[in-house]
Amino acid sequence: MTILNKRWIVIFAMISVLFISCEDADDNDNIIPGINSILNQTENNTELSLLNAAFIRTGLNDTFNTGRNYTFFAPNNTAFNNYLSTNGYIDIDDVPLVELRAMLLYHALNTEVVTTSLSNGYLKTLGKDDELESLDLFIEASSPVVLNGGSTIIDENIEADNGIVHIIDTVLELPSIATLIAANPEFDNLENALMNTGLNNNLSNLDPLQNPFTVFAPNNDAFTALVNTDAMDGLNDVADILALPNLNDILLYHLVGNDRIRSGDITNGFSITPLWGSPYTIDTTTGVQFTDGSGTTVSITSTDVTALNGIIHTIDIVARPM
């Protein structure tokens, strides 16, 4: 049995627990069926027939036919057919069951959200990583709304008894760190830097032998902050940072290998050992900070964006090893 298969077994066990816990029941523990549930939406709309087949095959038809409030981003038949073709599957029955169920849960939120209440940012889904933590989905609250940088809501705010359905034009596959960075416009400079060095390929890799990672991710303002730090350092704009000959080493200084460091793990004095450069120590006395190799104070401004292959924390300046 491969390590990758073991990962899907872990996810399958987690989903089985979630499936049981998501069912609504009356006082006699009988499942209460919906009348106009999310499942019913897939039964009544011919453009959602493949999603309906996926619900039935994975056993999630009961989950999304009960009285709990969900938001479901529902791929239409065109989206599913494109997914099947791209991945070399003949039909829904050809998709590995555990993979299909995990993917469907990634399309669901455990709350009811209409598009008018959405804003740019990450949302926790019912999908889980190997440690049973919720996977994130990036929302770009444009018109139309875009998910993870590539899936568009084409029919929104369809009311169901147990929540809201938004029809989308692309199946959402379980996200890598690279996916969630690329989807967020606030990480455009970081994405360019990762692509320039080829490290985006490492952060795209979902093979458990090659991950997980923890990324201390400088946003666009963090790149600007580095430019403005020293007028004499030769960095006049972001392009100068992206052209640095040691850019690869600088990025590796932001990465921790073979570990998911979550905010709950970070305490005062916690040591971070990056993939390149000397370790640095977290100081929580005034915020959550560390001092990089150049003596600059770096603040962690948001935490715990979760991908299948690791964790992203946002920082306010590009850190330097020396």
Side-chain angles (χ1 to χ4, degrees):
M1 179 181 295
T2 67
I3 293 178
L4 188 58
N5 285 337
K6 290 180 180 178
R7 162 177 275 175
W8 285 116
I9 288 172
V10 170
I11 293 176
F12 177 77
M14 172 277 301
I15 291 170
S16 297
V17 172
L18 177 62
F19 166 64
I20 293 170
S21 66
C22 283
E23 294 179 340
D24 283 352
D26 62 19
D27 292 339
N28 296 316
D29 293 328
N30 297 310
I31 301 302
I32 304 171
I35 298 173
N36 179 36
S37 66
I38 292 171
L39 175 67
N40 297 146
Q41 293 289 336
T42 69
E43 293 170 337
N44 298 330
N45 185 341
T46 57
E47 287 301 310
L48 299 179
S49 61
L50 291 179
L51 175 58
N52 178 258
F55 277 162
I56 293 170
R57 179 164 183 253
T58 57
L60 290 172
N61 52 319
D62 284 336
T63 299
F64 293 110
N65 195 37
T66 53
R68 191 183 186 107
N69 286 335
Y70 299 102
T71 298
F72 199 89
F73 299 104
N76 61 14
N77 287 352
T78 299
F80 261 108
N81 282 324
N82 288 338
Y83 164 77
L84 295 171
S85 176
T86 299
N87 289 280
Y89 299 131
I90 298 172
D91 53 30
I92 289 292
D93 291 335
D94 199 33
V95 183
L97 181 60
V98 176
E99 178 182 334
L100 181 61
R101 185 176 292 181
M103 187 176 68
L104 290 176
L105 287 172
Y106 183 60
H107 289 72
L109 310 178
N110 201 19
T111 185
E112 188 173 319
V113 180
V114 295
T115 53
T116 52
S117 68
L118 292 171
S119 57
N120 286 1
Y122 297 100
L123 291 177
K124 298 293 183 184
T125 72
L126 294 186
K128 303 291 183 179
D129 70 3
D130 291 356
E131 296 181 344
L132 310 187
E133 297 290 339
S134 295
L135 296 170
D136 278 275
L137 171 69
F138 186 79
I139 302 292
E140 185 176 349
S142 52
S143 183
V145 175
V146 178
L147 313 177
N148 279 0
S151 185
T152 300
I153 294 179
I154 57 177
D155 195 358
E156 61 188 23
N157 303 330
I158 302 169
E159 294 186 6
D161 293 338
N162 59 344
I164 293 288
V165 175
H166 307 294
I167 298 178
I168 58 176
D169 65 354
T170 308
V171 170
L172 299 168
E173 299 194 52
L174 299 183
S176 67
I177 291 171
T179 299
L180 295 181
I181 287 175
N184 186 350
E186 288 300 312
F187 286 134
D188 282 349
N189 292 333
L190 176 58
E191 182 191 11
N192 288 334
L194 292 170
M195 292 180 68
N196 285 355
T197 58
L199 288 173
N200 61 306
N201 294 324
N202 300 81
L203 298 181
S204 297
N205 197 330
L206 298 181
D207 183 343
L209 290 175
Q210 305 297 323
N211 65 73
F213 298 97
T214 299
V215 183
F216 294 92
N219 60 17
N220 292 345
D221 289 341
F223 278 79
T224 302
L226 179 58
V227 170
N228 295 335
T229 296
D230 183 354
M232 304 301 292
D233 63 5
L235 300 177
N236 299 311
D237 53 33
V238 172
D240 289 336
I241 299 175
L242 298 179
L244 287 170
N246 64 334
L247 180 62
N248 188 81
D249 292 342
I250 290 173
L251 292 176
L252 290 177
Y253 189 59
H254 294 76
L255 304 183
V256 177
N258 198 34
D259 200 4
R260 292 180 175 89
I261 301 172
R262 304 185 192 273
S263 59
D265 302 320
I266 297 175
T267 57
N268 196 49
F270 186 86
S271 181
I272 304 292
T273 302
L275 288 175
W276 194 91
S278 299
Y280 37 90
T281 301
I282 298 294
D283 180 356
T284 62
T285 55
T286 55
V288 183
Q289 304 172 331
F290 62 87
T291 301
D292 70 10
S294 72
T296 301
T297 298
V298 179
S299 294
I300 300 174
T301 58
S302 65
T303 61
D304 294 339
V305 171
T306 300
L308 192 61
N309 62 340
I311 306 295
I312 303 168
H313 306 300
T314 303
I315 58 176
D316 67 346
I317 189 168
V318 175
R320 291 169 291 174
M322 59 181 294

